[in-house]
Amino acid sequence: MIRRFRSHLLALALYLVLTFVALDNLVLHLGTAIPGVGLGVDVWRDYGALYWNLWWVKHALFNLHVDPMFSNYVLYPQTINLSSHALTLTFGLLTAPLQSVLDLKLIFNGILVGSFIASGYLCFLFLRRHVRNDWLAALGGALFAFTPTTLQRAIAGHLNLIPLWWLPLAFLLWDGLIAERRPRWRLIWAAGLGLVFYLILMTDLNFVLWLVPLLAPYAIYTWLVECRGAERARVAGLALVVAAFALGPALIEPIPAILQARSIDFPRASLETTQFYSYQLRWLIARDPDRMGDSVGQLLPLLTILSVPLGRRGGKRWLWLGLGLGTFILALGPYLNDTGVPLPYLWVHEWMGGQYRTPVRFTTPATLALVMFVCLSVSDWLERKSAFLRWQPWLIGLALVGLVFDSGMLAPFPIMFVPDYRIYHEIGRDSEEYALLEVPVGPSSGYGEFRRGQHLQYYAYIHHKQIINGSVSRLPSNGLDIYELSPLLRWLAGRSTPPSLDAASRELAEKLDQWDMRYVLVHRDLMEAEQARGVIEFFNIQPELCLVDQQDALSAYRRIHSWSDCPRPELSAVSAKGMLNLGEAGDEPFIGPGWYDAENVGGPQARWAGEIATSTLRLVLPAQDLRVRFKAAAYPADQVVSVAINNHPLVSIKLGNDWAEYEFVVPGDVLPASGPSLITLTHARLESAFDRTGGSVLDRRPLAAAYDYFVFEPAR
């Protein structure tokens, strides 16, 4: 039994080893890591949308009982037609049962790892039928599955483009249909092929575009060569069965959504953009580190050239070479690199209405065709040069070693560990439907984006709520206007300077109410330090929000209607000692506008007030007469600070230039019985060290005074 399947087991073992070599770090952290590089401020990553896809299909079908092709759970409050989005509905449906018992990271990575093994093995099976040489078939499967392109797609987490095994699977089913002579089994082969066509369509439109230019000519060729007389008519009739099993389910999903999308005005990719995402001929001989994901490497082109004079077989070998070169020419884009010579892709561009902007992806079907050509050619040569058969294992081994280096498999596979914030789990336990405001704001599509916050879409599988962030492949031409025209959201996306405090506060209150956003989650590590500080200061003083959690770089606020709704009031209250240490860790919840980041100021770790004349603190104080002591040092001479609490003026104090302690009294009747108070410190003057020293000191920040601590004690 084992001897019968030995070649299959050895091929699977080969692809398993190559997968481990290529994806080493991911395999070692299969349930905890995600593929990719960096989680910082300026990092663009698509992984959030791909994780959201799997979760959304399951959530829509089994929790909400709605059509997954339409969603207002991303880019809220809009309802998005997802027929043009890389939804990978097939995987979402197949993994739905697993999502109830396994973490989505394990499922996602399992699909990724399994796709490499399946792509190699199914290509091995297809090649084995035609070359009758297990060694060559094993090599061909590796050449197809482990290209630089597929490895870069894995790094990007492009789950929609990774399952290349759909292509050889479709060819295997067609071969079975042609070879089968029993009518009942032919029907089964035809039904299987039709179902695979449908599942391919529901995985990603790219696979349809890759499969059709290969399978259609191959099917016609084999139908003419291998069928005779009435046999041709019977096989042709089975095309109706294939169409029925492909189009029948498609009439339910996704054809209705596609037809509805025809009335949507989607932006077109320009020819300049399409040309940028085209294959460059120089990559055949030289690597481009910045575009490794668009390269087929140098090994396969070299093997293709060397194979041209080897074989003597007729039509089949040249058919595959023609298919490979034809799809490769499509990958070159609308023009031959920078020469301006028009190419056939111009027709494809117009036929698709400018909606396909990445012709370089046609290297994938070209790879399958050229691998087939190489294996047929070498197999033919080995049949005539039988003396070289004993060298076959060594030659195949040498080619595999070359593939490992050519594809860059020895480089450590980059992975990330996405922070797991407890607040998202807490929100997920709430069964009500509402929206979240995640900062930085980042709605985006394949043709436009706000940047930064789009990958926070990843957390949807934990919290299950609607988000205004996120990324989809295609949006209507005006799809981002609702965010682009908002001064508040533009600022929270890092695309503009902050609007006035009053205007921003009014817009926030309106959107919290209109969009039913019940939480605001600020990821400080995804913004520049200055913006993060300003955003936190802004949310800290909003009366509709209370701080409910702080974990690492995440500050979470909950919308409230009255202070009694705040579940964590202690986060806004001073300590039992009644002291607020400015500049020390943990002072962020109390800081409103008008403060700089903590720093050492002549000894104490403190904060400078400045930038604007009035600096604000927000904290919960007991409703009684209080004596307040604070330590401060002014920068401009003769500085005067006017203190007010909840808009009640209290005192004006002249501050010295050296550190000193000052005090004032707060009457209890200006403090609320519950809830926070706003302490405003309005300074008479602002001055920068640059202006004061005539430019000898480079610090241009407008400064007012530095503050070390505030102590709140009962007045006696």
Side-chain angles (χ1 to χ4, degrees), residues 633-701:
Y635 182 67
D638 302 319
Q639 179 68 276
V640 176
V641 59
S642 299
V643 182
I645 291 187
N646 299 325
N647 294 320
H648 294 276
L650 296 180
V651 66
S652 292
I653 301 174
K654 183 176 181 179
L655 302 179
N657 296 103
D658 296 323
W659 284 109
E661 189 171 83
Y662 306 88
E663 67 177 59
F664 61 90
V665 174
V666 180
D669 58 6
V670 304
L671 299 173
S674 66
S677 295
L678 291 181
I679 302 177
T680 56
L681 308 170
T682 303
H683 303 89
R685 298 177 56 205
L686 297 175
E687 189 174 12
S688 72
F690 181 86
D691 292 336
R692 185 174 183 179
T693 63
S696 61
V697 177
L698 299 180
D699 189 348
R700 295 177 178 267
R701 296 177 301 169

Side-chain angles (χ1 to χ4, degrees), residues 596-616:
Y596 292 108
D597 289 331
E599 61 183 281
N600 185 287
V601 183
Q605 192 74 6
R607 283 183 183 263
W608 281 106
E611 192 172 35
I612 56 177
T614 299
S615 300
T616 305

Side-chain angles (χ1 to χ4, degrees), residues 122-139:
L122 286 171
C123 188
F124 162 80
L125 294 179
F126 176 56
L127 292 169
R128 192 170 182 264
R129 289 177 61 96
H130 294 272
V131 301
R132 306 294 181 183
N133 184 312
D134 290 345
W135 289 96
L136 283 173
L139 173 63

Side-chain angles (χ1 to χ4, degrees), residues 37 132 139 191 217 251 255 312 389 456 489 540 659 715:
V37 183
R132 306 294 181 183
L139 173 63
L251 290 173
I255 288 179
R312 292 183 180 178
L389 285 174
L456 296 175
L489 297 183
N540 276 347
W659 284 109

